[in-house]
Amino acid sequence: MYTFQDYYHNHVKLSFKDNPFTDKPGHVLILCRYKGQWLFTKHPRRGIEFPGGKVEAGELPREAAVREVFEETGGTLSSLSYIGQYKVEGRHETIEKSIYYGTIAGLEKQKHYHETEGPVLFKQLPKKLKEDSRFSFHMRDEVVEMSIQHIKALFTI
Ligand code: GTP
């Protein structure tokens, strides 16, 4: 278990064990690869971030991951692997998010992307991601950095 503070100084716990915090996470985050690049979406306020969002009523977390990737990027997944979970204890609420690694089979251009400005591709992540204001605050703590290290240890990317 790793603990640290996010960009807004909220307390974060991160673990790569199997569902360490909950079997029913309320949120999902999907670190996606497409044709040798990282696939993000652009949130209109927060900036560039990996696709993800809330698990809807009656939905399984994996189903939410498939839906969010498509809604936010037009991407269809060819594989989806569970990576870990994190918990953010905010001032008003606590959220629990499952992290997945997804490979994208195809990107379908959409007229509208649900709550986002659509797909953004990067060959490599900027070295100083935490200081890069183009990126969402979700991307600017240890969650993404450590999850990518974990993915690199498990998969050939
Ligand atoms: P959207 O529906 O995506 O616009 O977000 P929201 O503002 O309705 O909030 P959400 O339920 O997604 O999250 C509630 C709060 O939890 C946010 O205001 C953040 O403080 C925090 N939060 C959500 N996701 C993350 C994350 O991935 N990392 C960090 N550090 N905090 C998060």
Side-chain angles (χ1 to χ4, degrees):
M1 173 96 61
Y2 304 94
T3 61
F4 46 86
Q5 291 191 342
D6 75 1
Y7 181 77
Y8 290 118
H9 304 289
N10 293 318
H11 190 68
V12 184
K13 289 188 184 125
L14 166 70
S15 166
F16 297 107
K17 292 198 172 133
D18 187 19
N19 289 347
F21 304 117
T22 177
D23 290 339
K24 294 196 167 96
H27 296 72
V28 291
L29 173 73
I30 312 94
L31 278 62
C32 295
R33 298 278 292 168
Y34 176 61
K35 290 189 173 172
Q37 299 175 85
W38 292 106
L39 171 65
F40 302 94
T41 187
K42 188 164 177 235
H43 188 279
R45 294 184 311 278
R46 292 192 297 259
I48 300 168
E49 59 191 24
F50 281 119
K54 291 188 185 85
V55 180
E56 289 177 354
E59 204 175 40
L60 294 170
R62 292 181 67 88
E63 293 170 339
V66 172
R67 176 182 53 73
E68 290 285 357
V69 168
F70 185 75
E71 286 179 355
E72 297 190 343
T73 69
T76 43
L77 287 158
S78 50
S79 73
L80 183 68
S81 308
Y82 170 86
I83 294 294
Q85 239 175 29
Y86 61 108
K87 183 170 178 160
V88 183
E89 286 161 359
R91 251 184 300 167
H92 305 293
E93 59 182 319
T94 292
I95 61 140
E96 291 161 325
K97 233 182 239 209
S98 280
I99 309 164
Y100 296 89
Y101 171 55
T103 55
I104 302 290
L107 266 189
E108 242 174 69
K109 197 166 165 39
Q110 308 291 305
K111 273 206 180 121
H112 302 287
Y113 296 92
H114 189 70
E115 289 173 7
T116 78
E117 292 167 13
V120 180
L121 289 159
F122 273 79
K123 275 221 167 72
Q124 273 171 344
L125 285 177
K127 287 216 169 69
K128 293 189 174 169
L129 185 60
K130 286 181 190 153
E131 294 151 42
D132 194 326
S133 60
R134 290 174 299 169
F135 285 84
S136 158
F137 79 92
H138 288 185
M139 301 283 303
R140 292 157 74 183
D141 60 41
E142 278 83 337
V143 167
V144 164
E145 195 177 309
M146 294 188 74
S147 298
I148 288 178
Q149 277 175 19
H150 200 75
I151 289 167
K152 284 184 172 165
L154 293 176
F155 303 91
T156 310
I157 64 168

